[in-house]
Structures are given as C-alpha cells and as structure tokens.
Amino acid sequence: MDLDAFDATAAELLRRGDRPLRLATKSVRVRAIIKNALTLDGFRGVMTYSLAESVWLADQGVDDILLA
C-alpha cells in the first residue's frame, strides 16, 4: 500500500467534508493502517463487514465499530 497516497487521500476527504469519517475495513485490511487512520483528526471509527472482524478489532482496542 502506498502510504503517501493513503495520507493524501485521507487529508483530501477530511478537507472536503464537515463530518467525521468512518473507515471501511473491507477496503483497508491492514491493522496498523486502520489504527493509524483512527489517530487522525476527523476519523471517527470503522465500518466492518462481519461480526468476527468486529470482535477482533474490539479486542485490538478499536472502540467505535459499525457492523454493516
């Protein structure tokens, strides 16, 4: 994954919007990148695709999870 491109895209999305962003973990599968994104101002939590993934991320310390 191109981290510079990820950071640039995240910054642009945050600049355009007036609401917090929720990271879709279906698109970002690397735990370190998920945790890093959640440290950025403007990111609020994650949207997961399965109960198992939600539980796993909760066990990893993610506390704002939307199961879609």
Side-chain angles (χ1 to χ4, degrees), residues 24-43:
T25 61
K26 181 179 178 187
S27 299
V28 179
R29 306 297 303 147
V30 180
R31 181 180 47 149
I33 294 172
I34 293 169
K35 290 188 115 179
N36 182 59
L38 293 176
T39 67
L40 301 174
D41 273 347
F43 276 87

Side-chain angles (χ1 to χ4, degrees), residues 4-53:
D4 291 333
F6 179 87
D7 291 342
T9 301
E12 180 62 20
L13 289 170
L14 292 168
R15 184 189 68 76
R16 290 183 189 184
D18 60 348
R19 297 176 186 216
L21 295 178
R22 186 172 295 277
L23 185 68
T25 61
K26 181 179 178 187
S27 299
V28 179
R29 306 297 303 147
V30 180
R31 181 180 47 149
I33 294 172
I34 293 169
K35 290 188 115 179
N36 182 59
L38 293 176
T39 67
L40 301 174
D41 273 347
F43 276 87
R44 173 175 151 170
V46 297
M47 180 175 65
T48 61
Y49 69 94
S50 73
L51 179 59
E53 181 188 37

Side-chain angles (χ1 to χ4, degrees), residues 53-63 65:
E53 181 188 37
S54 298
V55 170
W56 181 77
L57 285 169
D59 288 344
Q60 300 297 313
V62 177
D63 62 358
I65 301 171

